[in-house]
Amino acid sequence: MGDLPQWQQVFSPSWHSTEVWLWRLAKAQVLAHDSGYHQLISHWLRTYCCTEPYVIATNRELSAMHPINRLLQPHLRYTMEINALARASLINAGGINETSFAL
């Protein structure tokens, strides 16, 4: 795949009409991939997925009346449901994230 000439081409801004549209298409492609990376890695993986073990540990180890559990409960309330829905529709094979942001 690296030997193909289209993979070795670099696009830069220009005033020529054809090159302007090639630059805009390349820029749109990069922005789409960056959006997919942000949604999957920065947003879901580094927030909801990393929080899930803490939700499980809090529910297992702390009683409902424990002050820390009462403090964290509003913040951790829907994390497990969000993760289950994300696994079911967003990040699975053929899901919304793959079909929207992949080539």
Side-chain angles (χ1 to χ4, degrees):
M1 191 161 86
D3 296 336
L4 298 175
Q6 63 265 30
W7 294 107
Q8 299 172 359
Q9 191 172 5
V10 176
F11 298 100
S12 61
S14 174
W15 292 104
H16 190 266
S17 61
T18 304
E19 292 176 2
V20 167
W21 284 106
L22 287 173
W23 164 250
R24 288 179 183 169
L25 288 171
K27 186 177 175 182
Q29 187 75 8
V30 169
L31 290 174
H33 285 287
D34 186 51
S35 178
Y37 177 85
H38 169 75
Q39 288 297 323
L40 184 62
I41 304 299
S42 300
H43 185 73
W44 185 77
L45 182 66
R46 293 188 179 156
T47 55
Y48 292 104
C49 191
C50 289
T51 310
E52 190 170 337
Y54 296 104
V55 175
I56 294 169
T58 301
N59 291 334
R60 284 184 181 174
E61 300 299 325
L62 299 177
S63 71
M65 298 304 293
H66 195 281
I68 294 177
N69 190 5
R70 292 176 61 111
L71 179 69
L72 290 176
Q73 195 58 38
H75 303 285
L76 305 177
R77 187 173 182 180
Y78 296 112
T79 303
M80 298 300 285
E81 289 125 23
I82 290 170
N83 286 351
L85 289 172
R87 285 186 187 103
S89 62
L90 293 176
I91 61 171
N92 61 350
I96 294 170
N97 208 15
E98 184 176 307
T99 57
S100 297
F101 303 115
L103 288 174

